[in-house]
Structures are given as C-alpha cells and as structure tokens.
Amino acid sequence: MIKLGIAENKRYFVNEGVPFFYLADTVWSAFTNISLEEWADYLDYRSSQGFNVLQINLLRQWDASGSDLDYEPFVRIEDGSYDFYSLNPDYFDRAETMVEMAVSKGFVPALVLLWCNYIPDTWAAKLRDEKKMPLEAVEPYVRYAADRFSKYHPIYIVSGDTDFPSERANEYYRTTLHVVKKHSPECLTTLHIQGRLADLPDEFINDPNLDFYMYQSGHNSQFQSKAYTLALDFYNKRVTRPVLNSEPCYEMMGYSRREYGRFGRADVRKAAWQSLLSGAGAGVTYGAHGIWSWHKKGKRFGVTGEGFDSPYEWQAALKFEGAWDYGFAKWLFQMYGLVDLQPWNIVLKNTEEIRVASTRGFEKIAIYVPVNTVLKLDADLREYDFTIIDLEYRRFAAASVAFQDNVTVIDMHNFEGDVIVIGVKDKN
C-alpha cells in the first residue's frame, strides 16, 4: 500500500523516501455510477497505462451521467432531499470495497469530501435549488469518512471545484480540513478549486494542515494558457508546497459555455507538458469525457454548470489515446530523473507556449516545443547532450545543436508534432 509523503523541500511527493510522480485519472462519479465488474476492468486498464492516483467524489457528483444504479450516501426524506445527518452505511460499504480494490491494484485514492454544490454561496450552489449540507453536519460526516477510509492512506481533497465566495463557505472548508487532519494526520490534504482560479484565501495558504496545491486550467478554449500561468502562480506562492494541475482540459470534452468544438489528444498533451514544466512538476491529472461522468448509451447528460457537449460512452472514452500520452510523460520523468523541476525563462522567441524547466542542480533540462521551430535559448548549454522526443508517436532522435555568443541554437527536428527536448549534462 502506498503511503504518500511530501519531500523535505516541499516540491514533490515521496513514497518510502522515493520520488513519486502523481499521475491521476478523474473518475468523479465512481461510487454512484460504476458496477463492481466495470470497476475491476477499469482498474486493470488504467493500471496498465501507469496511472497511480484516482480522483473520486466521495458523495454524488452533481453533473454525473444518468445511471440505473441507485446508491446514495445519505438517507432521503419525503421531499427527495438528503438528510445529511443520516449516513447510508450500505453506500459507504460499497465505496470502501471499491477503494480496497483500487488500493490492491497500486492506486492512491484521492477522495473529495465536499464538492461545491453541497456548500452555500458557491457558484454551483447558485445554480441548484437542492438543499445544502448544514454546517453542523460537516464534522460528523468527515469523521465518519476518516474512520472508514484512512486505513487506505488516501489523499483527502477537502473541496471540489470551489470558489471561496464568503466567510460562510470558507467555514465549511476550514472545518473539513481541520477535522480530517485531526483524525487522519498521516493522510495528505489539498483543495480542488474552480477553473482558472489563481487565488486562495490567506487562511488556507497559511494553514499547516494543507499539504499541497491543486489548480485546474479547465475546459474553456480561450484560456488554455492557464495551464502554465497558474503553474507559475502556485509555484511562487509564499508558502511552498507541491503543485499539480488537477483538471486540465479533458480529452474529447466539449468546450465550456456550450461552444462548438472538443479538446483532442494533442490539446490535453500540451496542457500536461506546459503545466509540468512551469512549476507544477509534482504530477498531473488526466480526464476523458465519458469516464469522469461514467456515461452510458441512452443516459442523460445535463448541461448544468459550464455546459459541455455530450460525452462518449465510457467504454470508448477509456480507450482514448491521450491517456497513454500521460503515462508516457510519467515514464519520461522517471527515466530521466526529472524530479524537483524549476521553471527556467531562457527561450528567445516571441511566445510563451514553449516551456523550459531544469532540475535543481541544472543536471537536466526539459523543453516542451508545441510547434516545430529553430529554438534559441539564452544560455550556453554546450555541456549537455540533447535528445528530441516525438510525443505523438513516441520516437527519439538526436538533436542538431550549435552555439553562438552564449546562445544555444537547436535546429528544427524532423517530426511534425509537439516534442520534448531533454538535455543531460555530460558528467565528464
């Protein structure tokens, strides 16, 4: 069983002292929508791709696809709403079985305790008339969850997709964070926040109970640069913690706000690499449109919230090629020892799309180049051996490199898609 910790310098995860690259899939709707047979197949497939974390909503996901299953975390009362003081043990028995299955396959469960639709004043609360969880019900629910799941050493994601609109809303998250950390001090904690949001309230930045930062660059086609701008924002917070993009654009997700178009394999790969080399090098999360909502043919998929186009059926979404790209990214990080990366602003080009990072001692350099070009770098890197890696077909090639007045020039490569350029300093 994996027991995650934080490195001494607070920049990455460790497991038994060894660097751990966080590679998650978002399967928010698992506990309400997935049969145990489907779950077993899903776990086997994602395990084969190298995934090691699963982000799951502990309660019902508000925008999940319809399902014939009938599992609810709380007892329903006459008007159909939840009695938040009456937990349904059968629901949590089944959820615990699913967590146990995942842990046995080498996954770390990352469990969201309170998605924002359950909390008053949040952006999602304003879109739904459903009853919100009373503040007095939060502590007994969180204690129950901790008693149930902490033996599996999960990550506890305190919030789901939240803004921080009021002191009343913040009190829910403050209570949840402190209760779960008190009862499960060895489990890591974080906050999953609204897309494109860069700011956290000071109380959470300064709270020692918070272990790492999540941000989400999100699904709006106009703001995909947030993959790297938010990475830099969180990397440079005054309190240092590991950073990761917990929700980049999902593969084949329709653009938010009901805009026509979908994010393809290249888009999600680009979001991943731009995040990883811009300060969010602790790991990254993948999403497939049809997996997170666990969509089945003929079932409803609402447009509540950001309004996305219809999902693919989960069996098709599971096989999207982009998931293999994310597994390949993890493999490259491990093969080249790309641990504790720091952003490095050395690109002499009129774009921020090309991202560069180095290891702490500059022994290794990683450069993401989304579109082929002659690459000029404001550093003399003649001590490095460079390899160009084609990310679409996963091919490797030698780089053609020249040096001019302390500028390193890497010539155009022969690949047609995006590449990673890896530089390793010659130890001789």
Side-chain angles (χ1 to χ4, degrees), residues 281-346:
V284 70
T285 300
Y286 172 78
H289 194 35
I291 291 296
W292 70 270
S293 64
W294 208 259
H295 191 69
K296 295 183 178 180
K297 187 175 182 178
K299 297 301 180 183
R300 61 155 181 83
F301 176 75
V303 294
T304 299
E306 291 194 277
F308 304 114
D309 210 336
S310 299
Y312 285 68
E313 295 176 47
W314 75 266
Q315 296 95 333
L318 184 62
K319 302 297 178 67
F320 289 162
E321 189 68 19
W324 292 103
D325 289 334
Y326 276 53
F328 186 60
K330 175 191 167 191
W331 185 81
L332 289 176
F333 263 67
Q334 293 175 336
M335 185 180 78
Y336 284 103
L338 301 178
V339 179
D340 193 16
L341 290 180
Q342 54 187 350
W344 197 9
N345 184 21
I346 58 171

Side-chain angles (χ1 to χ4, degrees), residues 53-306:
V53 181
L54 299 174
Q55 294 176 188
I56 307 171
N57 192 346
L58 189 53
L59 304 180
R60 175 171 286 281
Q61 180 71 23
W62 73 314
D63 50 359
S65 294
S67 175
D68 291 330
L69 303 179
D70 185 21
Y71 299 107
E72 301 294 345
F74 302 99
V75 173
R76 287 197 183 276
I77 57 180
E78 290 183 2
D79 64 2
S81 64
Y82 286 147
D83 176 0
F84 288 104
Y85 296 98
S86 299
L87 293 149
N88 179 4
D90 291 340
Y91 173 90
F92 289 96
D93 284 344
R94 183 174 180 276
E96 185 174 344
T97 295
M98 296 176 75
V99 166
E100 188 173 21
M101 291 169 66
V103 168
S104 72
K105 295 287 186 180
F107 292 99
V108 177
L111 305 177
V112 179
L113 292 167
L114 285 177
W115 206 270
C116 66
N117 62 296
Y118 292 98
I119 308 303
D121 304 332
T122 64
W123 69 271
K126 297 172 184 177
L127 298 176
R128 302 282 288 256
D129 294 330
E130 64 190 6
K131 186 186 297 183
K132 310 308 174 197
M133 183 180 286
L135 181 60
E136 294 75 19
V138 170
E139 181 170 354
Y141 155 63
V142 174
R143 280 194 284 104
Y144 181 86
D147 289 341
R148 275 275 190 172
F149 296 103
S150 293
K151 59 179 169 288
Y152 302 104
H153 296 279
I155 293 165
Y156 286 112
I157 305 176
V158 168
S159 63
D161 207 17
T162 195
D163 48 359
F164 298 91
S166 66
E167 169 56 27
R168 179 167 67 160
N170 291 356
E171 179 65 17
Y172 277 78
Y173 300 128
R174 182 187 313 122
T175 299
T176 301
L177 176 60
H178 292 171
V179 170
V180 78
K181 203 63 172 178
K182 177 181 178 181
H183 288 272
S184 306
E186 295 183 355
C187 295
L188 300 185
T189 57
T190 189
L191 294 160
H192 180 274
I193 63 177
Q194 187 180 18
R196 309 191 305 277
L197 189 65
D199 296 324
L200 285 179
D202 285 345
E203 65 169 302
F204 294 112
I205 292 177
N206 296 326
D207 196 323
N209 294 291
L210 190 70
D211 292 307
F212 66 98
Y213 296 124
M214 281 183 164
Y215 70 91
Q216 61 159 314
S217 53
H219 315 289
N220 191 305
S221 62
Q222 301 175 43
F223 297 103
Q224 287 304 295
S225 61
K226 293 293 183 181
Y228 54 87
T229 60
L230 289 175
L232 288 167
D233 284 338
F234 281 90
Y235 182 85
N236 290 315
K237 294 290 186 195
R238 64 179 177 275
V239 178
T240 300
R241 293 182 174 96
V243 181
L244 62 90
N245 189 346
S246 66
E247 196 170 330
C249 56
Y250 288 173
E251 191 165 9
M252 299 311 296
M253 179 79 107
Y255 301 153
S256 64
R257 305 295 186 263
R258 307 186 195 182
E259 290 185 12
Y260 178 72
R262 292 180 187 265
F263 294 104
R265 173 189 172 192
D267 298 312
V268 301
R269 186 171 64 232
K270 179 180 179 180
W273 280 105
Q274 288 184 332
S275 303
L276 289 166
L277 302 189
S278 303
V284 70
T285 300
Y286 172 78
H289 194 35
I291 291 296
W292 70 270
S293 64
W294 208 259
H295 191 69
K296 295 183 178 180
K297 187 175 182 178
K299 297 301 180 183
R300 61 155 181 83
F301 176 75
V303 294
T304 299
E306 291 194 277

